[in-house]
């Protein structure tokens, strides 16, 4: 009889011979000491923060101590105690892109544009000559900058205002592809096209302030305009070749795994979107794919991907995000609810937050092996109602079919030395083991061990 350690999965595999590993609502964290190089931690839960009377929440924006939210019909200001006031009417269809210049908050959706003005405290539709349907808006050096929908053009507002000169437009014309989005980063404006990316900067010219950076033409486009997000002093996006990239200067660097890329093939990405946030030293890029009902999350700190999943839906329920009053707030994709998202919460607004992980295949070459026991080395006895239960299933055919569920007690509060163990898994040429924890429970798992013969 021998004991063998199973490495905890560090990411998600493509399935079948390549491996069936999967992380759902758990992610690896590098250890700064102890027995294992990294441990599995639980993804954050959601707690109620506010509920708007209209829904869904399609945009959140924060700047200079003030927070704003939009639904398809209304714009609101949200306060740090969860209260809010209605600012005015909007008429939005689809995803919202929001930005502000310190005095005005602008929102566009690819069809119309609206703005709230701090001086008048009114929400108005943008009807000025020189404004065109735009999918995205960004801000730099006093100007709102918009892509012009279904063209290769972009246009600017007047300085510190939501007014327009019809002549203040230009084309990203290094290639004849359409612009899909604009984003300012480090005082440069990245013009994302379907096949290429151009970088423009403020040259200070009197007639038109933006000028192309001739040394920064990027032969990689964007396949999902709302997948573009900033974090850790750089930009992340889904590329035209259906890989997820991080910009390293002006060079796109692939960060997606094969499993993520397989999910992006032959999928409508028009409503795919991403946002970034940070917690406990982890920097996350969260990519929602509504057409697949799936959410992938990339931990920039470790380079590992995992899946975020709601109890009712295949995807995570968040539709947008902002950091406000030292909280990460997210809007619900089908209600007017705004949640605080943090690992302090062990459920999704009272609904189960189901953690699941599938470990690497256990095998002995082509020889049969018998597993007498499987044990998780994990923290016990600090959380859980009653007697929390862990569920184990195993597969002998690479994850195509699964055994009946087997249960193990995770330890009541105070049972710090509880051993989480399952016995007598049988004999096979290979085993794939899946563990599930569905009760509110702090996830802190360092290692997995099997006793084999």
């Amino acid at each position: 009889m021998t004991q063998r350690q199973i490495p905890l999965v560090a990411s998600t595999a493509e399935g079948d011979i390549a491996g069936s590993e999967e992380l759902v609502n758990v992610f690896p964290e590098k250890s700064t000491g102890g027995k294992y190089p990294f441990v599995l931690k639980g993804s954050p839960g959601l707690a109620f923060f506010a509920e708007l009377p209209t829904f869904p929440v399609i945009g959140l924006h924060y700047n200079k101590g003030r927070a704003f939210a939009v639904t398809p019909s209304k714009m609101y200001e949200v306060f740090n105690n969860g209260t809010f006031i209605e600012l005015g009417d909007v008429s939005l269809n689809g995803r919202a892109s929001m930005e502000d210049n310190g005095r005005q908050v602008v929102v566009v959706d690819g069809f119309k544009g609206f703005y709230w003005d701090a001086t008048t405290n009114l929400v108005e539709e943008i009807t000025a000559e020189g404004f065109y349907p735009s999918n995205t808006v960004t801000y730099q050096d006093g100007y709102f900058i918009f892509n012009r929908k279904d063209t290769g053009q972009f246009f600017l507002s007047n300085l510190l205002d939501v007014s327009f000169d019809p002549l203040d437009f230009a084309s990203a014309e290094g290639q004849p592809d359409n612009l899909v989005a604009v984003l300012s980063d480090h005082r440069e404006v990245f013009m994302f096209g379907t096949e290429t990316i151009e970088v423009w900067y403020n040259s200070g010219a009197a007639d038109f302030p933006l000028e192309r950076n001739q040394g920064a033409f990027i032969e990689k486009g964007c396949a999902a305009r709302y997948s573009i997000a900033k974090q850790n002093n750089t930009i992340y996006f889904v590329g035209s070749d259906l890989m997820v990239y991080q910009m390293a200067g002006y060079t796109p660097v692939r960060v997606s795994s094969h499993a993520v890329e397989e999910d992006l093939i032959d999928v409508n990405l028009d409503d795919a979107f991403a946002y970034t946030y940070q917690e406990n030293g982890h920097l996350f890029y969260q990519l929602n794919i509504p057409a697949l009902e799936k959410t992938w999350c990339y931990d920039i700190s470790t380079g590992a991907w995992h899946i975020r999943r709601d109890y009712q839906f295949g995807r995570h329920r968040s539709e947008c995000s902002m950091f406000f009053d030292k909280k990460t707030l997210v809007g619900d994709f089908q209600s007017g609810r705004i949640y605080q998202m943090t690992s302090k919460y062990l459920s999704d607004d009272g609904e189960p937050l189901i953690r699941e992980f599938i470990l690497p295949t256990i095998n002995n070459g082509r020889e049969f092996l018998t597993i007498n026991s499987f044990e998780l080395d994990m923290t016990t006895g600090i959380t859980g109602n009653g007697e929390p239960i862990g569920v184990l299933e195993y597969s002998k055919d690479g994850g195509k079919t699964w055994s009946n569920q087997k249960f193990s007690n995770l330890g009541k509060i105070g049972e710090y030395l509880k051993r989480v163990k399952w016995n007598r898994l049988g004999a096979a040429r290979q085993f794939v083991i899946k563990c599930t924890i569905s009760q509110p429970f702090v996830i802190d798992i360092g290692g997995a061990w099997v006793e084999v013969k």
Side-chain angles (χ1 to χ4, degrees):
M1 199 81 65
T2 60
Q3 280 196 337
R4 183 190 304 178
Q5 183 182 0
I6 307 171
L8 287 181
V9 57
S11 194
T12 298
E14 305 89 86
D16 206 16
I17 297 298
S20 302
E21 298 97 311
E22 188 171 77
L23 298 177
V24 178
N25 294 330
V26 293
F27 61 90
E29 178 179 274
K30 289 182 180 178
S31 175
T32 56
K35 295 183 286 185
Y36 304 102
F38 64 86
V39 296
L40 288 185
K41 295 286 189 177
S43 63
L46 304 175
F48 176 81
F49 179 78
E51 184 163 14
L52 306 178
T54 57
F55 59 88
V57 185
I58 60 174
L60 293 170
H61 181 74
Y62 165 79
N63 191 36
K64 292 186 177 179
R66 304 185 74 170
F68 301 87
V70 291
T71 68
S73 59
K74 300 287 183 181
M75 182 182 290
Y76 303 88
E77 182 172 3
V78 180
F79 303 104
N80 60 7
N81 62 358
T83 60
F84 56 88
I85 58 171
E86 180 184 318
L87 298 176
D89 295 331
V90 296
S91 178
L92 300 170
N93 181 18
R95 292 206 59 79
S97 175
M98 301 179 71
E99 191 55 273
D100 77 277
N101 63 4
R103 295 175 51 239
Q104 294 142 328
V105 178
V106 165
V107 55
V108 296
D109 68 344
F111 301 94
K112 296 180 179 181
F114 294 84
Y115 72 99
W116 170 79
D117 192 296
T119 303
T120 64
N121 201 34
L122 296 175
V123 175
E124 304 281 355
E125 184 174 356
I126 306 174
T127 57
E129 184 182 4
F131 176 80
Y132 307 95
S134 173
N135 310 98
T136 60
V137 56
T138 192
Y139 171 83
Q140 183 174 303
D141 296 343
Y143 299 96
F144 287 117
I145 305 167
F146 306 81
N147 74 296
R148 184 174 179 180
K149 183 181 178 182
D150 297 330
T151 74
Q153 296 178 350
F154 64 94
F155 60 97
L156 314 180
S157 71
N158 290 326
L159 189 65
L160 294 174
D161 199 7
V162 188
S163 59
F164 298 85
D165 183 337
L167 299 179
D168 279 347
F169 71 92
S171 296
E173 54 191 14
Q175 283 275 44
D177 54 338
N178 285 342
L179 279 184
V180 297
V182 293
L183 182 68
S184 175
D185 182 60
H186 291 80
R187 297 191 65 242
E188 292 182 313
V189 184
F190 285 72
M191 307 290 183
F192 287 85
T194 56
E195 303 298 331
T196 60
I197 304 169
E198 294 187 13
V199 180
W200 291 57
Y201 69 98
N202 187 349
S203 67
D207 53 346
F208 189 77
L210 294 187
E211 184 175 329
R212 182 186 294 109
N213 181 340
Q214 301 294 345
F217 184 75
I218 303 160
E219 295 188 345
K220 186 78 65 180
C222 178
R225 62 168 52 89
Y226 299 114
S227 70
I228 303 167
K230 295 196 294 186
Q231 181 62 280
N232 199 30
N233 286 304
T234 190
I235 300 172
Y236 295 82
F237 66 100
V238 175
S240 51
D241 54 4
L242 303 182
M243 298 181 186
V244 181
Y245 287 96
Q246 166 192 315
M247 293 300 298
Y250 302 132
T251 302
V253 177
R254 173 183 177 261
V255 297
S256 51
S257 68
H258 294 306
V260 174
E261 291 154 7
E262 285 188 4
D263 275 347
L264 296 176
I265 297 173
D266 296 328
V267 174
N268 183 353
L269 297 177
D270 289 346
D271 58 355
F273 67 96
Y275 61 81
T276 58
Y277 75 97
Q278 67 85 24
E279 186 178 29
N280 297 331
H282 291 266
L283 306 172
F284 294 105
Y285 169 83
Q286 185 155 313
L287 174 64
N288 281 4
I289 312 170
L292 273 185
E293 286 295 312
K294 194 165 188 178
T295 300
W296 282 101
C297 192
Y298 176 62
D299 186 345
I300 299 167
S301 310
T302 62
W305 288 85
H306 63 279
I307 294 168
R308 298 276 175 94
R309 186 178 294 160
D310 183 81
Y311 173 67
Q312 297 185 58
F313 315 102
R315 56 165 284 185
H316 195 260
R317 70 174 66 182
S318 59
E319 188 75 356
C320 48
S321 169
M322 68 176 170
F323 190 70
F324 171 52
D325 191 38
K326 301 179 181 178
K327 301 179 182 71
T328 297
L329 300 182
V330 297
D332 194 300
F333 80 101
Q334 63 170 14
S335 77
R337 286 188 169 236
I338 299 173
Y339 308 102
Q340 182 182 358
M341 185 170 70
T342 172
S343 57
K344 292 190 301 183
Y345 300 122
L346 303 179
S347 69
D348 278 343
D349 194 28
E351 292 187 344
L353 185 52
I354 298 177
R355 325 285 194 177
E356 181 179 288
F357 51 95
I358 300 176
L359 297 174
T361 301
I362 305 167
N363 68 87
N364 188 29
R366 300 302 294 163
E367 300 296 324
F368 274 85
L369 73 163
T370 300
I371 296 184
N372 286 338
S373 68
F374 170 82
E375 182 175 356
L376 290 176
D377 189 354
M378 61 187 292
T379 298
T380 62
I382 61 171
T383 57
N385 298 322
E387 296 185 356
I389 299 297
V391 179
L392 178 142
E393 299 167 79
Y394 58 86
S395 173
K396 298 179 180 181
D397 54 17
K400 298 177 180 64
T401 61
W402 296 92
S403 69
N404 294 330
Q405 293 181 338
K406 297 172 72 71
F407 304 95
S408 179
N409 193 313
L410 302 180
K412 293 182 289 188
I413 291 179
E415 293 185 335
Y416 307 121
L417 300 180
K418 177 69 177 178
R419 296 184 68 180
V420 180
K421 193 173 184 179
W422 294 264
N423 296 315
R424 294 187 295 276
L425 304 192
R429 282 195 174 92
Q430 61 178 10
F431 284 86
V432 177
I433 292 177
K434 175 168 63 176
C435 296
T436 305
I437 300 172
S438 59
Q439 293 162 285
F441 194 85
V442 170
I443 304 299
D444 185 16
I445 303 173
W449 295 84
V450 289
E451 191 177 66
V452 300
K453 68 175 182 179

